[in-house]
Amino acid sequence: MDDFQIDAAGWSFLDDPAGYIKPKSGGLQIEPLKRQFNTVKEILARLADGRGVLLADDVGLGKTTVGALVAWVVACQNKRVRIYAPNEVLRRRWAEELERHVPMLKSLGAHNDRIKQGDVGRLNPGRIQVTTHHALVKSHGEGQQRTTCDLMIIDEAHRAKGDGSAFNEALSKLGDCAKRKLILTATPFSIRLAELEQLLRFAGATQLDAVGRYASEMKRLYTLGEGHDVAAERRARLESNQ
């Protein structure tokens, strides 16, 4: 097994979201933070036990906050983190989100100097690279040295449309350079089944039969013809399975 163990003391702060809220907490609010902290704890546990995690949430639920907290916990364990945002605007947003948590995580070793922005390049332990999808594509073919890391975070990974896209090709070729992967994407209802399966495979999933069965059932329900009561059909099937 590769070395991806995280000292529990490095994320014990996640058990006390109320204590995390301070005057310098950058507008963080306790209720969404409780849910985000629980999500971060679950992600860290799964990363320790497996190869990767796919987080599919609606817009506005704080995927960037969750990803930033995961990145800080991993980086403060002297590991290398690379974050790929879809464009320069969101790259800056990621950098700002990482910086927002520095005051609360200084005791763990968080510092603005740990954040590296710009083109993909050699990354020292304990650093967080924040760059773009385009930079990942650009680094494709330039050697594994440019993408090697302990944790790779891909924001809006559903933008890897189709097997022929340059971004998807780069992900496929360079994904093995990361010990663990955190994939942030739209909800499964917002992307095609083939795209969802592709992202799950990239995260390390091998058993996808249940995804296929679910997709087949949804397709059957919504192709039964005009005037068919989909909601009633769904309720009837749920009742029959109880």
Side-chain angles (χ1 to χ4, degrees):
M1 181 175 179
D2 57 47
D3 179 22
F4 198 86
Q5 297 307 306
I6 299 175
D7 184 357
W11 47 292
S12 59
F13 71 92
L14 295 168
D15 294 323
D16 184 21
Y20 197 78
I21 299 293
K22 299 177 181 178
K24 295 182 180 180
S25 60
L28 293 169
Q29 298 178 348
I30 186 63
E31 288 306 319
L33 196 63
K34 287 180 180 178
R35 175 181 51 76
Q36 291 158 1
F37 272 22
N38 286 333
T39 302
V40 172
K41 287 194 289 186
E42 183 65 25
I43 289 172
L44 289 169
R46 289 173 181 258
L47 289 175
D49 292 338
R51 298 297 300 177
V53 175
L54 188 149
L55 177 61
D57 267 350
D58 279 323
V59 174
L61 293 182
K63 290 193 293 292
T64 305
T65 298
V66 168
L69 288 168
V70 171
W72 272 127
V73 171
V74 173
C76 288
Q77 296 281 315
N78 210 36
K79 301 183 187 301
R80 300 160 298 172
V81 180
R82 295 190 190 274
I83 300 173
Y84 294 99
N87 52 50
E88 283 294 326
V89 172
L90 291 177
R91 181 195 62 75
R92 289 192 293 271
R93 180 185 168 195
W94 270 96
E96 291 168 358
E97 184 67 23
L98 288 165
E99 291 169 356
R100 178 163 73 145
H101 293 274
V102 166
M104 289 80 77
L105 298 177
K106 278 189 174 180
S107 62
L108 297 183
H111 195 282
N112 287 350
D113 289 347
R114 286 181 178 263
I115 304 170
K116 178 182 178 181
Q117 302 186 55
D119 291 337
V120 178
R122 185 182 180 88
L123 190 63
N124 292 325
R127 298 295 187 269
I128 304 174
Q129 165 90 61
V130 188
T131 186
T132 63
H133 292 186
H134 174 73
L136 178 66
V137 174
K138 182 180 176 183
S139 68
H140 180 209
E142 295 183 3
Q144 292 187 351
Q145 188 67 51
R146 286 188 169 274
T147 53
T148 300
C149 59
D150 297 288
L151 175 64
M152 180 183 290
I153 300 177
I154 307 292
D155 189 20
E156 296 198 18
H158 53 280
R159 296 197 181 197
K161 296 287 186 181
D163 293 337
S165 76
F167 180 44
N168 179 62
E169 183 180 353
L171 282 181
S172 300
K173 295 292 185 181
L174 301 176
D176 290 341
C177 298
K179 291 182 180 179
R180 295 292 189 273
K181 302 160 192 169
L182 173 57
I183 312 301
L184 308 178
T185 186
T187 65
F189 300 104
S190 304
I191 57 179
R192 295 186 298 111
L193 173 63
E195 295 164 359
L196 175 60
E197 289 183 335
Q198 174 182 306
L199 294 176
L200 288 169
R201 288 194 181 94
F202 179 72
T206 56
Q207 302 296 324
L208 298 177
D209 293 345
V211 177
R213 290 195 299 271
Y214 175 78
S216 297
E217 179 63 13
M218 291 296 291
K219 182 177 180 180
R220 186 192 70 81
L221 284 173
Y222 283 91
T223 55
L224 289 176
E226 185 178 353
H228 184 80
D229 191 335
V230 174
E233 171 74 10
R234 179 179 178 276
R235 288 194 297 271
R237 291 186 64 82
L238 288 174
E239 291 171 357
S240 66
N241 290 331
Q242 290 179 349

